[in-house]
Amino acid sequence: MTNTPAQGPVALKNVASFMAMTVKLIERPLHLPGFGVCHGPSGYGKSWASMYVQMKVKARRIEVGETWTRRTLLRHILKECGETVRKSWSASDLAELAKAALGADTTRPLIVDEADKLVDKNMIEVLRELQQESGVPVILIGEEKLPGKLLTVERIHNRVLDWFPAQPCDLDDTKVLATSFQPKVKFDEELLDTIRLRSSGRARRIVTNIDKAGEFARDRGHKTLDLKIWSDFYTGEPPVQRDVEQFPRRIVRAA
């Protein structure tokens, strides 16, 4: 066991599944569709899985912003490709350059996180055009409703080769996270499983609880933790609304 906490993505089961989908797309015959879709609730570790795969296969990866336009999308893709663009170039000019840049090496997929926003903004067809013209694999990442949204865009939906629904963390994943992020603390298995359940299997919340428990252990000199020692779980639920009128102010009237 290393004594240094993890500094990047951890290889959980979702990471392995994301990698399998990526390899399938890279190695597919060119007559097959070139899109893959990873979908699931927030906190399941989709983005972390994509960053792990990005490092392994040298993929290009962008995360769509709320205010992006078509030109913004294309500029970010070209930046990932190492291309320099001029502000005066039109969306058509940028698209042609992006097709050439992506097509220069089709073993490097384009990963698009927050792809829901492109569907909502009617911009997803830009990616269809880039994928079709360049042949590069394109992986879309989004929330659980992404597949349903893509159903409304037939020319994208029928070009999806593989659908990957991200899964909640199981106990084995939780053990890996504990070892990776709090290597100096030994967690009881029952505590880890309770952390998993109270975190709804969401990797982000599991890591938050593991970090919180680790801080508790460091402050009090504990090398091992179980439910009898620590149970101050973070669940993500907001605080209960307070009764602000419980202690009404006294009104002092002028004489």
Side-chain angles (χ1 to χ4, degrees):
M1 177 187 298
T2 178
N3 287 326
T4 304
Q7 299 298 316
V10 178
L12 305 178
K13 290 184 176 66
N14 278 335
V15 175
S17 297
F18 198 107
M19 177 64 82
M21 176 180 65
T22 303
V23 172
K24 180 178 180 179
L25 284 163
I26 293 173
E27 297 181 350
R28 80 193 191 286
L30 290 181
H31 65 275
L32 292 181
F35 277 92
V37 177
C38 173
H39 59 96
S42 173
Y44 271 28
K46 304 183 299 295
S47 297
W48 280 73
S50 71
M51 287 186 279
Y52 182 93
V53 171
Q54 177 188 14
M55 293 187 296
K56 292 296 183 181
V57 302
K58 298 182 179 180
R60 285 121 174 179
R61 181 182 180 278
I62 62 171
E63 186 169 328
V64 180
E66 195 68 43
T67 61
W68 281 20
T69 64
R70 284 172 171 78
R71 293 180 73 245
T72 312
L73 170 65
L74 291 165
R75 284 200 303 268
H76 276 79
I77 292 174
L78 287 168
K79 183 179 179 181
E80 277 294 299
C81 294
E83 299 287 342
T84 302
V85 299
R86 297 179 181 176
K87 292 183 178 180
S88 61
W89 287 355
S90 67
S92 297
D93 294 331
L94 296 171
E96 292 304 312
L97 182 57
K99 293 171 191 175
L102 292 169
D105 187 353
T106 56
T107 66
R108 299 181 63 186
L110 173 64
I111 300 174
V112 183
D113 204 348
E114 300 285 351
D116 312 66
K117 295 172 183 175
L118 296 181
V119 183
D120 296 340
K121 294 172 176 286
N122 295 317
M123 290 165 51
I124 196 70
E125 282 282 359
V126 175
L127 293 183
R128 181 198 61 78
E129 181 180 337
L130 295 183
Q131 194 286 316
Q132 182 174 312
E133 295 288 335
S134 69
V136 71
V138 176
I139 299 173
L140 307 178
I141 304 174
E143 300 298 321
E144 189 63 21
K145 293 182 180 180
L146 179 58
K149 290 182 178 182
L150 291 174
L151 271 173
T152 66
V153 191
E154 184 180 357
R155 293 202 294 179
I156 290 288
H157 185 264
N158 64 20
R159 285 175 168 80
V160 176
L161 179 65
D162 199 13
W163 302 86
F164 162 45
Q167 301 298 316
C169 289
D170 59 15
L171 180 57
D172 289 338
D173 284 334
T174 307
K175 290 178 179 178
V176 171
L177 291 170
T179 302
S180 299
F181 289 98
Q182 290 295 334
K184 296 182 180 180
V185 180
K186 183 177 180 181
F187 288 81
D188 175 74
E189 186 170 296
E190 184 183 8
L191 172 58
L192 286 178
D193 202 34
T194 305
I195 287 175
R196 177 185 67 84
L197 292 170
R198 296 294 296 272
S199 303
S200 303
R202 297 175 187 258
R204 185 180 298 127
R205 288 183 185 171
I206 290 172
V207 171
T208 299
N209 272 306
I210 287 172
D211 186 72
K212 190 176 182 181
E215 183 178 357
F216 174 91
R218 287 193 304 272
D219 290 347
R220 290 160 178 78
H222 293 295
K223 293 184 178 180
T224 62
L225 285 179
D226 58 28
L227 281 169
K228 294 179 181 178
I229 299 175
W230 186 85
S231 59
D232 185 20
F233 303 105
Y234 168 78
T235 64
E237 295 296 324
V240 176
Q241 182 175 339
R242 298 173 295 175
D243 183 2
V244 296
E245 298 299 326
Q246 184 176 3
F247 301 105
R249 291 177 296 172
R250 296 175 61 186
I251 300 176
V252 180
R253 299 184 181 279

